[in-house]
Amino acid sequence: MELKEAKDKFIHTWGTLATQWGINRTMAQIHALLLLSPKSMNADEIMADLQISRGNVNMNLRDLMDWGLIYKQLLPGERKEYFIAEKDIWKVAKQIAKERRRREITPLIDAMEELKEAIKPDTAEKEEFLKIVNEISKVSVFSDSTLTALIKSEENWLINNFVKIFNK
């Protein structure tokens, strides 16, 4: 496989995978391109490589910066803005976990708490409703705790614990 073909496959795969994390495909493809690039890139280069519009590139670059996955890099003598991806994949994984927690888990926990307070279990139907809400709440809180541990953890700690789990 030639390098160009391998890069295209990586960009396509990363784009497909990232949709599972709540990132749109184009955003993920831009991230993948910047991950693979040995140097920072400007919007024109990204547009040319991925064959996407300037508006799409600019919108997704802004979103990637909001997620903390890429950074603006100012080059001396250049008027254009350049962008570079965080290359430490452990940091990338932690940042994605942090954003997903903020965007998905925290609002779910808040909504379940609000529902638990709003409904009084005075009928069988309300009791059943609260039972489901409580179960979702438990899973959400567990997910939140797990993601919090991941975000605060160091790579070696996590790897050592995975090894312990799989060696049992």
Side-chain angles (χ1 to χ4, degrees):
M1 181 181 290
E2 295 294 320
L3 182 58
K4 170 77 172 120
E5 185 181 355
K7 283 182 177 183
D8 289 345
K9 184 175 179 83
F10 178 83
I11 290 168
H12 174 75
T13 302
W14 197 254
T16 302
L17 259 175
T19 60
Q20 304 301 313
W21 311 329
I23 296 176
N24 76 58
R25 184 182 310 269
T26 303
M27 185 173 154
Q29 289 174 333
I30 292 170
H31 183 238
L33 178 65
L34 291 171
L35 269 175
L36 296 177
S37 180
K39 62 178 184 54
S40 56
M41 297 178 74
N42 64 44
D44 292 333
E45 294 168 326
I46 295 167
M47 286 169 44
D49 276 12
L50 297 178
Q51 298 294 301
I52 55 179
S53 72
R54 179 175 305 282
N56 205 357
V57 168
N58 289 332
M59 178 182 65
N60 283 295
L61 286 171
R62 228 178 7 260
D63 288 345
L64 283 164
M65 285 189 293
D66 288 346
W67 275 70
L69 298 175
I70 68 167
Y71 310 99
K72 223 182 262 191
Q73 188 176 52
L74 301 175
L75 300 179
E78 287 285 339
R79 292 179 59 177
K80 293 181 179 180
E81 294 178 328
Y82 285 78
F83 302 89
I84 190 158
E86 172 61 59
K87 302 290 184 171
D88 182 332
I89 299 303
W90 182 247
K91 286 181 183 176
V92 169
K94 285 171 49 171
Q95 193 60 32
I96 290 168
K98 185 176 169 183
E99 271 303 301
R100 298 238 11 227
R101 179 178 172 259
R102 183 181 73 80
R103 292 171 184 243
E104 299 168 28
I105 304 293
T106 302
L108 181 60
I109 290 170
D110 293 345
M112 294 303 108
E113 288 304 314
E114 183 181 337
L115 291 171
K116 286 193 284 187
E117 291 174 16
I119 301 296
K120 303 299 177 221
D122 53 10
T123 67
E125 188 177 8
K126 287 179 180 179
E127 284 180 25
E128 185 63 25
F129 176 84
L130 285 172
K131 179 180 171 192
I132 297 300
V133 167
N134 279 319
E135 291 299 314
I136 292 171
S137 184
K138 286 178 189 175
V139 170
S140 301
V141 168
F142 175 77
S143 298
D144 185 55
S145 299
T146 303
L147 285 175
T148 299
L150 172 70
I151 291 164
K152 291 180 180 178
S153 71
E154 291 298 320
E155 182 177 11
N156 291 337
W157 173 87
L158 188 64
I159 290 171
N160 288 339
N161 283 309
F162 273 135
V163 168
K164 287 178 189 173
I165 290 169
F166 290 115
N167 285 333
K168 287 185 177 184

